Amino acid sequence: MPIIVAMDGPSGAGKSSTSKAIAKRAGWSYLDTGALYRGATWLAMQKQIADANDLVEALQNEKLTFNANPEKPTLKCGKKDISEEIRSEEVTAKVSTYAAMPEVRAFLVEMQRKVISGATKGIVVEGRDIGTVVAPNAHLKVFLTADLDARAKRREAELNTDKDLAESLAVRDEKDSNRKVSPLEIAIDAVEIDSTEINLEETVEVIWELLKERELLGLPIVAVLGRPNVGKSTLINRFLGRREAIVEDVPGVTRDRVRYECEWNSRDFILMDTGGWESRPDGISVGVSAGAEIAIEEADVILFVVDAQVGAQSEDEAMVDALRKSKKKVFLVANKVDSPNEEAEAHSLWNLGLGEPHFVTALHGKGSADLLDLVVQELPEVGGAIVTDNYRKVALIGRPNVGKSSLLNAIAGDQLSLVDEKAGTTRDPVDSILEFGGSTWRFVDTAGIKKRANQASGSDYYAVLRTQVALERAEVVALVLDASEPMTEQDLKIISMVEDAGKALVLVMNKWDLVDEDRQNQLNKELDRHLTHITWAQRVNVAAKTGWHKDRLAPALRTALKSWETRVPTGKLNSFLGALIGSNPPPVRGGKQPKIYYATQAGIAPPKFVIFTNDWIEPPYRRFIERKLREEFGFEGSPVQVSVKIRERD
């Protein structure tokens, strides 16, 4: 999903100039929705159309096409470029009439949304109903205004006319503000900017600061590519100053594209680790190599790593062709150069045709700082990586090969995560921001957990640790189980891990297409036997490979999150507790009955309740209170924590 900036405001406020300047600076797309309404008006005038439905039919046949490049935005009607003609006084005089037609607006709004969704990184959209109608979920909404005289002078300069346009602008304002459909108005969450006393550059700077404050300007991406086992992950760990990327003396440990935030010389950027690229991949290598090629497209700067001790291989030469076609800035990195003799030999890498090789020893850090100095000099001001957002975070957790990556791909409708019949394909957590079920989510596909971290070794050890970190970051967990197979001890350990983390939980029973009636009966018995302590978790049956019932996951996630963040008013809580104690008092302990004074909710995410008493309350009675809390207030999909605090005795 692209970053969307909605720019609303009256005619002549400077929306077009400001929007194009922002889009150019950020490297984003640009959409002038007013141009589409002018295009529709021009078409109506050409064909002498007065009826709204007839105009919509004409628009369907002729097709308006907007070029979203801010350097040269153009509008075509069919094959004819009408960019200049739509700015005529005749079109300007009539555009409000046609723009007020509900049928025309509905048609053009849908067209605008398609242009927005097609943007790759970000898009600045300007008009008069962007933040309220066209893109109500825009990341930043700006209402740009100015007084009537200032707007009139700007419009006169733009049109190179001596006419006083103040009166016509006032009439236009009146029509735009009072039309029945999508009137000009300030969105409730918009930032109003008055540009009467500030110039274009100053206006752009104000909005740019807003983008930075909201962390909407993407960080540049530095992709690290090369054959398997040339030291890419070791180099990334050296850049990061910590052991993040999984490193093992076995080719092919890294498989998915994994991103890490990095900082050097006060520049923040994203390091992207990739799987080893092969020119003739087979098996799982096909997906790995494809991922590396996608990384080339996503990257702003590329580090092409070659093992200097073995020299350039045919695989390296094949990748050079792909790098040249990308037209991206490429640094040729000669790794494992430990001595002057090896450095002399490594000069042969000039033959790859990528310019000067940069000598490093990733394992020891030699040359890495000098390389980073050069890299940050080439970074653009804005990249395509958005690292912070307000999206709800979902972790896909489970044993290897239960279908986590397949589920993610089904949700996305694309091959986001590597999928293979062989267990353990995913090694690193992979973040994906996806539109799903009417909401935007941040999904994290994690490595399958084979055993606990203290029992694992090698890449499995680090994969488990990173899965645990992903679990900590998440708000809700989609715990994927293979419904076609009996539950295992490892499944139960993973469930306990999620419980201990205090996250909202949805049980995803995958591979339901393989479950017959006998297996259903067996599964129900397993659930009754093993999962009585999490009966509150919702269950969704899916078949990830086909996408069957994937749509049921989003409502379950929303319900779980809502429960996870539920707060019960203190008065309501204690009325409930008083009635409960009256009918079911705590059991006698040591010949005395504990006295419960009151309760309070100490927190949410998950809901935490503290009961104040004069004595210890046995765990069974606590569980009884928890069960009754759920019956009274819900909490479906969320753990509930009940603790006791003993006060002085009476």
Side-chain angles (χ1 to χ4, degrees), residues 309-560:
Q309 293 187 353
V310 300
Q313 304 293 299
S314 59
E315 298 283 351
D316 296 315
E317 294 171 354
M319 189 167 207
V320 167
D321 292 335
L323 294 173
R324 284 176 178 157
K325 291 176 184 176
S326 74
K327 298 186 177 353
K328 303 287 179 68
K329 176 61 181 178
V330 179
F331 287 91
L332 175 59
V333 182
N335 190 28
K336 306 180 186 180
V337 179
D338 296 319
S339 67
N341 288 336
E342 290 176 337
E343 186 172 320
E345 292 177 5
H347 277 288
S348 63
L349 295 174
W350 275 93
N351 295 330
L352 286 171
L354 293 176
E356 180 184 1
H358 301 273
F359 305 129
V360 302
T361 305
L363 189 62
H364 306 299
K366 180 183 175 183
S368 60
D370 293 336
L371 176 59
L372 279 175
D373 287 341
L374 296 172
V375 168
V376 297
Q377 292 176 19
E378 296 291 336
L379 296 179
E381 186 177 12
V382 179
I386 306 299
V387 297
T388 59
D389 50 62
N390 295 317
Y391 305 136
R392 307 314 301 259
K393 301 176 184 64
V394 186
L396 298 174
I397 303 284
R399 285 188 294 110
N401 221 32
V402 293
K404 300 182 297 298
S405 297
S406 294
L407 179 61
L408 181 65
N409 291 339
I411 291 169
D414 198 4
Q415 189 79 5
L416 290 185
S417 278
L418 201 57
V419 176
D420 195 80
E421 294 297 327
K422 184 180 178 182
T425 301
T426 302
R427 297 279 180 81
D428 300 273
V430 180
D431 282 32
S432 302
I433 297 174
L434 301 174
E435 291 282 337
F436 177 53
S439 302
T440 304
W441 309 81
R442 179 179 287 276
F443 281 90
V444 185
D445 186 17
T446 64
I449 302 175
K450 297 178 181 178
K451 52 185 74 176
R452 294 184 181 274
N454 60 0
Q455 299 171 328
S457 61
S459 58
D460 288 334
Y461 172 78
Y462 291 104
V464 171
L465 289 184
R466 283 157 181 73
T467 298
Q468 290 174 335
V469 171
L471 180 58
E472 291 171 6
R473 288 173 52 212
E475 297 168 299
V476 58
V477 172
L479 177 58
V480 184
L481 300 170
D482 186 343
S484 69
E485 296 180 353
M487 293 185 66
T488 68
E489 182 182 354
Q490 189 60 23
D491 288 323
L492 302 180
K493 288 179 179 177
I494 294 170
I495 291 170
S496 296
M497 184 190 301
V498 176
E499 269 195 292
D500 293 342
K503 306 298 181 180
L505 174 62
V506 176
L507 295 177
V508 181
M509 311 302 296
N510 190 29
K511 307 184 185 181
W512 200 257
D513 51 327
L514 305 178
V515 177
D516 57 21
E517 187 176 347
D518 289 340
R519 176 56 193 152
Q520 286 189 39
N521 293 331
Q522 185 185 355
L523 179 61
N524 288 332
K525 292 177 182 178
E526 291 172 6
L527 296 175
D528 290 341
R529 185 166 62 252
H530 299 302
L531 302 185
T532 54
H533 58 298
I534 58 164
T535 53
W536 46 265
Q538 299 173 93
R539 181 176 135 186
V540 179
N541 303 328
V542 303
K545 279 193 173 182
T546 63
W548 182 79
H549 278 181
K550 68 176 182 180
D551 57 312
R552 296 186 177 184
L553 179 58
L557 293 172
R558 274 192 284 265
T559 298

